[in-house]
Amino acid sequence: MSSNIRVGIVGYGNLGRGVQQAIQQNPDMELVAIFTRRDPGPLAEETGVLTERLSDVEQYIGRIDVMILCGGSATDLPDQTPQLVKLFNTVDSFDTHAKIPDFYEKVNAAAQEGGKVGVISTGWDPGLFSMNRLLMQAVLPEGQDYTFWGTGVSQGHSDAIRRVPGVKAGVQYTVPVQAVIERIRSGETPQLSTREKHRRDCFVVAQEGADQEAVRRTITDMPDYFADYDTTVTFITEQELAAEHSGMPHGGFVIRSAVTGNGSKQIAEFGLKLDSNPEFTASVLIAYARAAYRLSNEGAVGAKTVFDIPLGYLSPKAAEVLRRELL
Amino acid sequence: MSSNIRVGIVGYGNLGRGVQQAIQQNPDMELVAIFTRRDPGPLAEETGVLTERLSDVEQYIGRIDVMILCGGSATDLPDQTPQLVKLFNTVDSFDTHAKIPDFYEKVNAAAQEGGKVGVISTGWDPGLFSMNRLLMQAVLPEGQDYTFWGTGVSQGHSDAIRRVPGVKAGVQYTVPVQAVIERIRSGETPQLSTREKHRRDCFVVAQEGADQEAVRRTITDMPDYFADYDTTVTFITEQELAAEHSGMPHGGFVIRSAVTGNGSKQIAEFGLKLDSNPEFTASVLIAYARAAYRLSNEGAVGAKTVFDIPLGYLSPKAAEVLRRELL
């Protein structure tokens, strides 16, 4: 008899695909079904996995231990998490930082109503980066911390480029300013403007006959997205875009520079360098799905964040093994 | 009325001094007394703090919320933690990795008997490094992780140098091999020998008339301590030793290099660069003293490790503030 953790995937884009792959790396996990708002037929064929309409999800009550929600933060998760957490334990990567407090309250109320656990806002930021910000601040109260993102593809900024008239396709990389990171690593605690922390590099395929100089200016002058940054625009061919810019790398750093005692400098840093942003986020979701399952088995209910869950719950190994091998 | 966390310090060496300083940075903490096996008179004068004989500690039952144990792992903590955790919540930095499972069992039994919480083996390794090893392995199951220490002073190796005939004084730095770290950061997962990971740099003050070449060979050939490493021995004056080698810097890295999906490389790294090893360890002890206090208030009993405690317990901030500001 299997004692695997039975999971479902809700939403099958890049993140959902990453979750399906990550389950292969975790032998204590078992994928029961994928739920979609699309026609499930073609998706079942594509994935080789039982695929159901999301509207039929209630049939799986009692047959799935944790639902891994792979929708977007803008329109999917604000509705899906509160609805589904009444029926299933859930884990999601809701990442609209400013709306997390409100989202937490809604998910918590629904989870309490359903007697389930809803782990919200996992991934790497929010998620692993948040954990490191908390840990570093708690240990080193007198200091300054910095978060840098990149080098990596920003979906929102890439979308913004593609809406510019004359642009056929394009991708935007957020690039942390290395010289500033080195200053912080060497013990400085500078006050930094937006422009000083990150650069934005755009690779654009122009439509035939488009005025490249006008396209460039429209991008670099775009408020909120680009105007506050040093932005480069490089025009490339569609072939170059496909060959060199189809990956989804990302990463970044959380660095805290602090003092203790009579001025001793203490610097802590956590960094990620990711070939695949969605596959990494998916891997974090899986670890927290394991935690949600265990918390629920222990009788916990309500919304939980990465701040609420002991690290031991993320590992498939028993506590005594962790103490022996990793402490 | 004060709702501060009332702490005691047991043992006043470099670590105890660091804890006293760290308490100044944490306004929710209040130092009640220092406990020592020495004559408390001179120590009270030196520290300006109420100082008591360790044998009088029972008088403080109910007046101290958490005892921060600052003794050594070789002879102090194996006895002190199990004894004191019957009477008080405790936190320690027991760091003999191989003996942690046994230590855990003893502390757990004593803490259960006393109805107290004993947080064991905090600091940075074991401690923050252990947490990162667990987190990275749980999120990225297919990979390899590496721990590097330094550049920093190793007390045990410095002691070994000072026992060599002809040596008046000396200090040993553990130095991670930077070229290997760069290989790992770039995605390689080499199998590394002891010699390939760390170098040992010794700065030695020779006794007058000592045979420096003999001293050098005795050090570099010393089994366990130096023979398995590339070791350098530099002879310096007492003045140089005092001027340039009196600090206690340390640090290191935990790096995990892993793959997800169809071979995407995912690299995670946590690093510390510390001017003062004891002050940093002390700062970690303080954060876990806060956690011990809260866990105990919630009715928890027994031995706990960094794997068992949610990160939110380390911060003086309320959960809703953490979600708003740091998630």
Side-chain angles (χ1 to χ4, degrees):
Chain A
M1 212 197 87
S2 158
S3 63
N4 279 357
I5 303 171
R6 302 165 301 172
V7 304
I9 294 174
V10 177
Y12 197 79
N14 288 323
L15 185 57
R17 191 173 300 115
V19 168
Q20 186 189 3
Q21 290 176 310
I23 288 168
Q24 307 295 323
Q25 295 186 315
N26 289 274
D28 62 336
M29 297 270 163
E30 182 187 327
L31 177 56
V32 175
I34 295 170
F35 298 88
T36 179
R37 283 172 307 196
R38 295 182 266 166
D39 177 4
L43 194 55
E45 198 132 325
E46 178 195 333
T47 61
V49 173
L50 178 63
T51 302
E52 297 277 9
R53 279 180 212 282
L54 182 53
S55 51
D56 292 333
V57 75
E58 298 201 9
Q59 298 172 14
Y60 284 82
I61 293 174
R63 293 158 61 193
I64 283 181
D65 298 310
V66 187
M67 282 289 187
I68 303 180
L69 310 188
C70 299
S73 297
T75 56
D76 299 329
L77 297 174
D79 294 330
Q80 284 179 356
T81 308
Q83 279 167 23
L84 290 168
V85 81
K86 290 181 190 167
L87 311 175
F88 301 93
N89 300 311
T90 63
V91 54
D92 69 49
S93 59
F94 182 80
D95 68 357
T96 313
H97 290 262
K99 294 185 178 167
I100 286 174
D102 181 54
F103 185 69
Y104 173 88
E105 296 302 336
K106 288 205 177 88
V107 176
N108 191 45
Q112 298 279 357
E113 189 185 321
K116 302 294 180 187
V117 169
V119 180
I120 67 161
S121 299
T122 66
W124 57 275
D125 196 0
L128 271 51
F129 276 19
S130 323
M131 294 159 75
N132 275 280
R133 284 189 286 263
L134 191 165
L135 177 63
M136 292 174 189
Q137 287 189 17
V139 169
L140 296 168
E142 291 184 17
Q144 171 88 30
D145 55 46
Y146 301 87
T147 302
F148 291 90
W149 297 276
T151 300
V153 173
S154 162
Q155 220 49 61
H157 289 79
S158 298
D159 289 344
I161 291 175
R162 292 188 282 256
R163 288 191 298 263
V164 170
V167 170
K168 190 168 184 183
V171 62
Q172 191 265 193
Y173 295 92
T174 305
V175 183
V177 177
Q178 200 60 34
V180 159
I181 295 175
E182 293 309 327
R183 283 173 61 198
I184 296 166
R185 282 180 181 155
S186 73
E188 290 184 48
T189 52
Q191 295 299 317
L192 297 171
S193 67
T194 298
R195 189 179 300 275
E196 287 171 303
K197 289 184 71 187
H198 296 93
R199 206 176 71 223
R200 298 200 176 278
D201 290 351
C202 307
F203 294 86
V204 175
V205 180
Q207 282 168 346
E208 230 179 277
D211 176 348
Q212 293 198 353
E213 199 41 45
V215 167
R216 182 193 308 277
R217 263 199 320 275
T218 307
I219 292 173
T220 58
D221 293 352
M222 199 185 295
D224 301 331
Y225 285 91
F226 293 105
D228 296 336
Y229 298 85
D230 288 338
T231 301
T232 68
V233 178
T234 306
F235 290 95
I236 59 175
T237 64
E238 272 191 288
Q239 291 71 30
E240 286 169 325
L241 186 77
E244 291 159 35
H245 302 282
S246 61
M248 279 171 288
H250 220 313
F253 312 87
V254 176
I255 310 179
R256 186 163 179 86
S257 178
V259 292
T260 61
N262 300 315
S264 308
K265 272 276 175 197
Q266 315 277 29
I267 299 173
E269 176 171 343
F270 178 81
L272 294 172
K273 199 171 129 194
L274 310 174
D275 272 3
S276 169
N277 182 359
E279 288 175 14
F280 187 80
T281 301
S283 298
V284 179
L285 282 170
I286 290 287
Y288 278 96
R290 182 178 292 120
Y293 171 74
R294 292 192 185 166
L295 285 165
S296 180
N297 279 354
E298 290 177 8
V301 294
K304 306 286 174 193
T305 76
V306 293
F307 299 156
D308 305 319
I309 299 172
L311 292 173
Y313 283 67
L314 305 181
S315 172
K317 295 181 176 176
E320 61 269 26
V321 177
L322 293 174
R323 285 193 294 271
R324 193 172 61 234
E325 295 181 357
L326 297 181
L327 194 61
Chain B
M1 211 196 87
S2 156
S3 62
N4 279 358
I5 303 170
R6 300 165 304 173
V7 304
I9 293 174
V10 178
Y12 196 80
N14 288 323
L15 185 57
R17 191 173 301 115
V19 168
Q20 186 189 2
Q21 291 176 309
I23 289 168
Q24 307 295 323
Q25 296 186 314
N26 289 274
D28 62 336
M29 297 270 164
E30 182 186 326
L31 177 55
V32 174
I34 296 169
F35 299 88
T36 179
R37 283 171 307 195
R38 294 182 268 167
D39 177 5
L43 195 54
E45 198 133 324
E46 179 195 334
T47 60
V49 173
L50 179 62
T51 303
E52 297 277 10
R53 278 181 210 284
L54 183 52
S55 51
D56 293 334
V57 74
E58 298 201 8
Q59 297 172 16
Y60 284 82
I61 294 173
R63 294 157 61 192
I64 284 180
D65 298 311
V66 187
M67 282 291 188
I68 302 179
L69 310 188
C70 299
S73 298
T75 56
D76 300 328
L77 297 174
D79 293 330
Q80 285 179 358
T81 307
Q83 279 167 23
L84 289 168
V85 80
K86 290 180 190 168
L87 312 174
F88 302 93
N89 300 310
T90 64
V91 54
D92 70 48
S93 60
F94 182 80
D95 67 358
T96 312
H97 289 263
K99 294 184 178 169
I100 286 174
D102 182 54
F103 185 69
Y104 173 89
E105 296 301 336
K106 290 207 174 84
V107 175
N108 191 45
Q112 300 278 357
E113 189 186 322
K116 303 294 180 187
V117 169
V119 180
I120 67 161
S121 299
T122 66
W124 57 275
D125 196 0
L128 271 51
F129 276 19
S130 324
M131 294 158 75
N132 276 281
R133 284 188 286 263
L134 190 164
L135 178 62
M136 292 172 188
Q137 287 189 17
V139 169
L140 296 168
E142 290 184 17
Q144 171 87 34
D145 56 45
Y146 300 88
T147 301
F148 291 90
W149 298 276
T151 300
V153 174
S154 161
Q155 220 49 62
H157 289 78
S158 298
D159 289 344
I161 291 175
R162 292 188 283 257
R163 287 192 298 263
V164 169
V167 170
K168 191 168 184 185
V171 62
Q172 190 264 192
Y173 295 91
T174 306
V175 183
V177 177
Q178 201 60 36
V180 159
I181 295 176
E182 293 308 328
R183 282 173 60 199
I184 296 166
R185 282 180 181 154
S186 73
E188 291 184 47
T189 52
Q191 295 299 319
L192 298 171
S193 68
T194 298
R195 190 179 299 274
E196 288 171 302
K197 287 184 71 187
H198 296 93
R199 205 177 72 223
R200 298 202 176 277
D201 290 351
C202 307
F203 294 87
V204 174
V205 180
Q207 282 167 348
E208 232 180 276
D211 176 349
Q212 294 197 354
E213 199 40 46
V215 168
R216 183 193 309 275
R217 263 198 320 273
T218 308
I219 292 172
T220 57
D221 293 352
M222 200 184 296
D224 300 332
Y225 285 90
F226 295 104
D228 296 336
Y229 298 85
D230 289 337
T231 301
T232 69
V233 178
T234 306
F235 290 95
I236 59 174
T237 66
E238 274 191 288
Q239 291 72 30
E240 286 169 325
L241 186 75
E244 291 159 34
H245 302 283
S246 61
M248 279 171 287
H250 221 312
F253 312 86
V254 177
I255 311 179
R256 186 163 179 85
S257 178
V259 292
T260 61
N262 298 316
S264 309
K265 272 276 176 197
Q266 314 277 28
I267 299 173
E269 176 171 344
F270 178 81
L272 294 172
K273 200 171 128 193
L274 309 174
D275 272 1
S276 170
N277 182 358
E279 288 174 16
F280 187 79
T281 301
S283 297
V284 179
L285 282 170
I286 290 287
Y288 278 96
R290 183 178 290 121
Y293 171 75
R294 291 192 184 165
L295 285 165
S296 180
N297 278 354
E298 290 177 7
V301 295
K304 306 285 173 192
T305 77
V306 294
F307 299 157
D308 305 319
I309 300 173
L311 292 173
Y313 283 67
L314 305 181
S315 170
K317 295 181 177 177
E320 61 268 26
V321 177
L322 293 175
R323 285 193 294 271
R324 194 172 60 234
E325 295 181 357
L326 297 181
L327 195 60

